[in-house]
Amino acid sequence: MNVLYITVDALRADHVTSEIMPKTHGFVDKNMEYTRCYANGPGTPWSFPTLLGSRYSGGTDGFGIPGEDDVRPTLAETLQEEGYATAGFTDNRFASSDYNYDRGMDSMWDSGATSSEKRLKHEVRGRLDQDGLLFKAILRGYHLIDDLLLNIRGDDTRFVRAEVLVDQVTEWIEDRENDWFAWVHPMDTHAPYEAPDEYQRQYLEEPVSRRKSQKLASAATHRPDDLSDKDWQLQKQLYKAECQYLDDQLERLFTSLPDSVRDETVIVVTADHGEMHGEHGLGGHPQQFWEEVIHVPCGISIPGRSNETIDDQIGLVDIPPTILDSVGIEFPPNWDGHSILPDDDGVVQEREHLFVDVEPELNRDHAGVRHANNWKLMRHDIEGELLLDLNTNLQEDPEGDQSNAATQQYRSLTRVLDEHLDEMEQRRRGETSGVEDEELIEDHLKELGYLE
């Protein structure tokens, strides 16, 4: 049985609809749809340890995952050990080989994410005084060179389009004769939103320029108070245009599989996190735990299984064990997730507590937990702590904070979250670290908009 694993960057669950993404919605609707799937972090750096390794990011110092001496195997390593051909296709630096996500991959198409220019820049850092004038001059020069190369290549977007990744993965699949695992991570719905003009025209009278979309995305993330209602509306329309473009490309990927291959392929579609468009006065995917950021789509197609709508709460950390379960392979006992396939009685092992955290250094004031009953405790560092009941406060109005009123819920979720953080601290003391190159990480954070 083959596996096609699609993890879209920054795709909100509420945009996988018949109006905006009809083909993707149709895929999810006709298979196993998990309506309450949540990311275990508010961005790529914190989601991908779960997506490719079923491990909480909070348990690893630094970013990414440890190297090959790690005691916890990745999804690709586990499948590779079972004889699968494995390949990854990504243009997100935080989901690339720079952060050890090529572990277990026979092939890794991440040249855009780990370009020779970036590697040379990294090498220069190691050889020059980073406080010296020469290094600073070269650093400024690289910024100009990067922009120049973008124009020389004629690229009209910051990230590789889904069209290119689909071409790459379909070509790779065509050459496989035995079981294979292909992971593809499209970046199109990540800001800045730069859909082709024909898709923008479906939502706007005239397409906007690359420069304008980049400027708008930067302001939405770093200076959201500067945006007018008209600006937010434009940002929303640009995002929808990207969703529709991606929808067509995903359909092209689905239909590229011959029926004989499709009948032997498990297909998973999900996202690493969502996106905000003015809710709570925020844009992009801030390092907070609002529903718009952590609620993601999830659909799983398994040959021989009927379509189901599953409303039990699950986390991205549960996806890798579910993939292995679907192809009849036992998942490693030291993984953090569990299989969410319905048993013979149709019962799913719901995740009672969904944990979210952020930062390379564990911060007890910057983490959260979402209970299956829709109570949610969020610690947003300097912004403070909120206990919300989403059954009665679906919009997550901070004025509905129940920290002082719902004493039992507050104590229970506080205890559970602190116990989880205790375990993460213990792991950090006893296990191999991830990537800790501060300069490299800062570059990648800036490129993806986390830093200005």
Side-chain angles (χ1 to χ4, degrees), residues 10-12 15-16 20-22 24 188-189 193 195 199 203 236-250 277:
L11 180 59
R12 289 173 58 136
H15 278 55
V16 183
I20 303 172
M21 301 185 72
T24 307
D188 304 270
T189 47
Y193 312 134
Y199 290 89
Y203 293 93
K236 292 176 183 178
Q237 298 299 83
L238 288 171
Y239 183 76
K240 290 178 181 177
E242 286 283 23
C243 288
Q244 197 153 91
Y245 164 75
L246 176 64
D247 190 54
D248 283 347
Q249 296 306 315
L250 291 182
H277 296 134

Side-chain angles (χ1 to χ4, degrees), residues 39-238:
N40 296 102
T44 302
W46 308 282
S47 286
F48 264 93
T50 62
L51 281 165
L52 293 183
S54 189
R55 59 188 298 153
Y56 292 117
S57 66
T60 303
D61 273 325
F63 282 84
I65 57 176
E68 293 182 353
D69 57 343
D70 181 28
V71 298
R72 297 171 183 265
T74 66
L75 173 61
E77 285 173 326
T78 307
L79 288 166
Q80 189 182 58
E81 184 69 21
E82 294 290 330
Y84 276 68
T86 57
F89 305 82
T90 177
D91 191 41
N92 188 314
R93 303 199 194 284
F94 276 116
S96 71
S97 52
D98 273 349
Y99 294 89
N100 298 319
Y101 290 113
D102 57 341
R103 281 175 48 189
M105 297 293 188
D106 299 330
S107 304
M108 191 73 165
W109 273 260
D110 62 353
S111 59
T114 58
S115 65
S116 57
E117 292 89 355
K118 292 292 181 181
R119 292 193 182 281
L120 180 58
K121 184 177 177 181
H122 182 55
E123 183 71 17
V124 167
R125 277 205 180 94
R127 295 178 179 273
L128 294 180
D129 175 12
Q130 296 182 18
D131 293 324
L133 294 176
L134 177 58
F135 176 81
K136 291 179 179 179
I138 292 175
L139 199 61
R140 288 194 296 270
Y142 267 111
H143 173 74
L144 296 174
I145 291 171
D146 283 345
D147 189 59
L148 177 63
L149 288 172
L150 188 69
N151 290 322
I152 290 175
R153 290 195 300 263
D155 293 341
D156 58 347
T157 61
R158 176 177 295 185
F159 303 109
V160 170
R161 288 201 192 276
E163 179 179 359
V164 176
L165 294 181
V166 169
D167 287 345
Q168 291 174 331
V169 69
T170 53
E171 181 179 347
W172 182 83
I173 290 172
E174 287 174 357
D175 292 337
R176 299 310 108 198
E177 295 181 357
N178 299 315
D179 289 341
W180 50 263
F181 166 74
W183 160 61
V184 58
H185 185 67
M187 290 291 293
D188 304 270
T189 47
H190 186 290
Y193 312 134
E194 302 165 328
D197 288 354
E198 61 266 33
Y199 290 89
Q200 291 193 36
R201 288 193 178 94
Q202 296 182 39
Y203 293 93
L204 303 170
E205 290 185 4
E206 289 294 332
V208 303
S209 67
R210 184 180 74 187
R211 180 172 295 182
K212 183 173 182 178
S213 65
Q214 291 177 345
K215 183 178 180 180
L216 183 62
S218 178
T221 301
H222 302 291
R223 299 175 302 281
D225 291 343
D226 291 351
L227 268 64
S228 65
D229 290 344
K230 184 178 180 180
D231 292 330
W232 283 120
Q233 183 62 23
L234 174 57
Q235 185 78 331
K236 292 176 183 178
Q237 298 299 83
L238 288 171

